[in-house]
Amino acid sequence: MRTTTAPDAAETVAELVARQWGDHRPGLMYGAGAADSAGPTVLSRHRTAQEAAARAALLADLLPAGAEPHVGVLLDNTPEFPSWLGAAALAGAAVAGINPTRRGPELARDILHTDCRILVTEPAHLPLLRGLDLPGVRLLVTGTEEYAALLAPYADAEPGEARVRPGGPRPDTRLLLYFTSGSTGAPKAAVCSQGRLAAAGGSLARHFSVTPDDVHYVCMPLFHGNAVIADWLPALAAGAPVALRRRFSASAFLDDVRAYGATYFTYVGRAVQYLLATEPRPDDREHRLRLGFGTEAGAVDAARFAERFGVRLVEGYGATEGGASVQRCPGTPQGALGRAAPGDDLAVVDPETGRECPPARLDARGRLLNGDEAIGELVNRGRSLFEGYWRNPDAEAARTRHGWYWTGDLFFRDPEGFLYFAGRTDDRLRVDSENLAAAVIENVLARWEAAAAVAVYAVPDEVAGDQVMAALALREGAAFDPEAFAAFLAAQPDLGTKMAPRYVRILDELPVTATNKIHRVALRRAGFLGPGPVWHRTGGAYRPLGAEDLSALLAAYGAQGRRELLDR
């Protein structure tokens, strides 16, 4: 039976971690599905606080005098990750989540840029660090005898005993330095304070009525803000256990959910598409899941997910930076994310002129009819919770220019003020002098039954501007039928005359980043020159892009002096 007591508000995450002390209900689960495991390992809430307190004491002793209280964490979703999150909270330190898909100088740059004097990793990731110059960084390798020996003297530590600064953690104390997953330039480390994170966790716990009877399944990577802010923190605030998956696996998802008794999970990017692409099973609805919360699933996939698994997906919007937030509210139309959160003055503006875009015109089925003029960048003209980027004043200035917070995301707003996500500003295309948003085209293509996953991006036009290119991963057993695809496009009333893909690449699966978002940079770089069969549209019909076609196409680029654009 579910209890309904709302969690008390906490001023810091340290307070939430300390509340677990003496509570012997389940707090952390892991190991479900392991070949040598009879079932998941379960740690009590008291034990999780105990593990965090031990690491907080170790951290306080290991940090050099005068060093920034930052610890880098280069781990998969193992129990050590939440233990170090809790340790940093108790000690008044900050965790920098290090992305294990980064390599060489880029990986070293992330560690050194965030002033990490301690780096926690695991044996599986040691090859990533070989040959890197990391002056002044002490390496702690979990799962080793040396690591166990370091921790042993602190086994009896209690929350609040070890602090890296006098006075202990306060609401404005840094807790996270989380790298944003931008598509260009070096990643920026967003600063997240204990007070903001505690408030976010409590707010989500109340919004989704999270209780100790819930189990939060953490299958998205903990080095990314989604898993910590939207999954771990609301569970911590409500006294619910969390269940860990080392890395996301679509094929193991349902088995994990059943083994843990999970009721809630978060998703990002195309994880939902890959879940839908798994082979249907008669027991798809036999589980305790009641809710999935995330971004960029799309209305079509959300409906398919609910129909197949019986689970409601709730789309949300709130960047790790905290600069703007959209909240779902009663009456939110299908496809919309909601309205501005209290205190935010959100507007959709033309990024070139700064003028507010006109409201969207939607047909009876909610399809956008005036995307060219209605889509713009979402800005917050009022109060912002943005706390800056670590040692990156130029990026901060760009994000807060003219006194507004610029999200870098495209939206449109209907006449009632409901906001709809339309993609990243980097995903905007300009075709024949018209501005298009990749996400809007993707939402149309996602209706095609043969498509398991879709990505839309720009490739240079031979003469000027862009052309639309789509990468499609097909459902199992499906084949690309060019005539059926063209007929499908022709039947979509909200597919503008410039939106039909000029090029279509068929892939077994779409490339994704470590956070399960489509790797658009890789797709854009490959264009129509990369691997996989490519079809191109001529006269309204799609046909293979053969060697002769490609040669003629490249000659056209060369004649216009634009050949080099294909090599960027």
Side-chain angles (χ1 to χ4, degrees), residues 16 62 119 133 135 172 229 259 263 316 335 402 419 482 511 552 560:
L16 294 175
L62 290 185
L119 177 64
D133 185 17
D172 62 351
I229 298 172
T263 60
H402 309 312
L419 291 159
Q560 297 293 332

Side-chain angles (χ1 to χ4, degrees), residues 384-564:
S384 170
L385 298 179
F386 178 52
E387 296 173 295
Y389 294 120
W390 182 253
R391 299 199 190 287
N392 199 334
D394 291 341
E396 283 188 28
R399 187 65 78 184
T400 56
R401 60 191 186 276
H402 309 312
W404 296 350
Y405 178 84
W406 296 73
T407 67
D409 290 320
L410 300 174
F411 273 75
F412 57 90
R413 188 200 297 264
D414 70 17
E416 285 70 47
F418 289 103
L419 291 159
Y420 299 70
F421 181 70
R424 297 282 301 167
T425 52
D426 290 339
D427 298 331
R428 195 161 193 165
L429 307 84
R430 190 163 181 83
V431 179
D432 293 343
S433 299
E434 287 191 20
N435 291 320
L436 308 176
V440 173
I441 305 173
E442 287 174 352
N443 288 338
V444 175
L445 299 188
R447 301 170 194 155
W448 193 40
E449 287 294 332
V454 177
V456 169
Y457 46 98
V459 294
D461 180 78
E462 302 97 303
V463 179
D466 303 317
Q467 285 293 336
V468 180
M469 184 163 184
L472 302 179
L474 303 182
R475 299 188 180 279
E476 187 173 355
F480 183 70
D481 182 336
E483 293 183 1
F485 183 68
F488 160 79
L489 295 178
Q492 307 309 305
D494 53 338
L495 188 73
T497 57
K498 309 297 183 183
M499 293 182 181
R502 169 86 172 272
Y503 304 100
V504 177
R505 163 166 281 117
I506 306 300
L507 297 171
D508 292 335
E509 58 182 22
L510 301 189
V512 295
T513 66
T515 56
N516 291 294
K517 295 182 178 180
I518 295 298
H519 199 328
R520 296 181 187 277
V521 173
L523 289 171
R524 280 196 292 263
R525 285 175 179 166
F528 49 74
L529 300 175
V534 175
W535 299 71
H536 69 130
R537 180 170 50 85
T538 58
Y542 286 91
R543 59 190 184 90
L545 183 65
E548 292 185 5
D549 299 310
L550 181 58
S551 178
L553 191 57
L554 294 178
Y557 279 92
Q560 297 293 332
R562 290 171 65 84
R563 175 64 177 84
E564 71 280 1

Side-chain angles (χ1 to χ4, degrees), residues 55-64 67-74 84 93-96 98 111 114-121 134-141 147 150 164:
R55 286 156 181 79
L58 173 63
L59 177 62
D61 282 352
L62 290 185
L63 273 174
E68 292 290 353
H70 299 170
V71 53
V73 178
L74 176 61
W84 278 100
V95 163
I98 306 300
I111 297 166
T114 45
D115 295 308
C116 295
R117 301 300 295 273
I118 295 172
L119 177 64
V120 181
T121 190
L134 299 172
V137 178
R138 178 163 184 174
L139 196 63
L140 303 184
V141 184
Y147 182 73
L150 278 173
V164 298

Side-chain angles (χ1 to χ4, degrees), residues 318-341:
T320 301
E321 291 97 322
S325 180
V326 178
Q327 289 187 353
R328 197 168 187 85
C329 54
T332 299
Q334 183 179 9
L337 297 182
R339 289 191 170 107

Side-chain angles (χ1 to χ4, degrees), residues 27 45 201 205 210-212 214-216 230-242 264:
R45 282 169 52 79
V210 183
T211 79
D214 282 296
V215 176
H216 280 213
D231 215 342
W232 180 69
L233 277 169
L236 189 65
V242 297
Y264 171 104

Side-chain angles (χ1 to χ4, degrees), residues 2-5 205 209-215 238-241 290:
R2 287 177 57 83
T3 56
T4 57
T5 303
S209 301
V210 183
T211 79
D213 299 317
D214 282 296
V215 176
R290 65 183 181 90

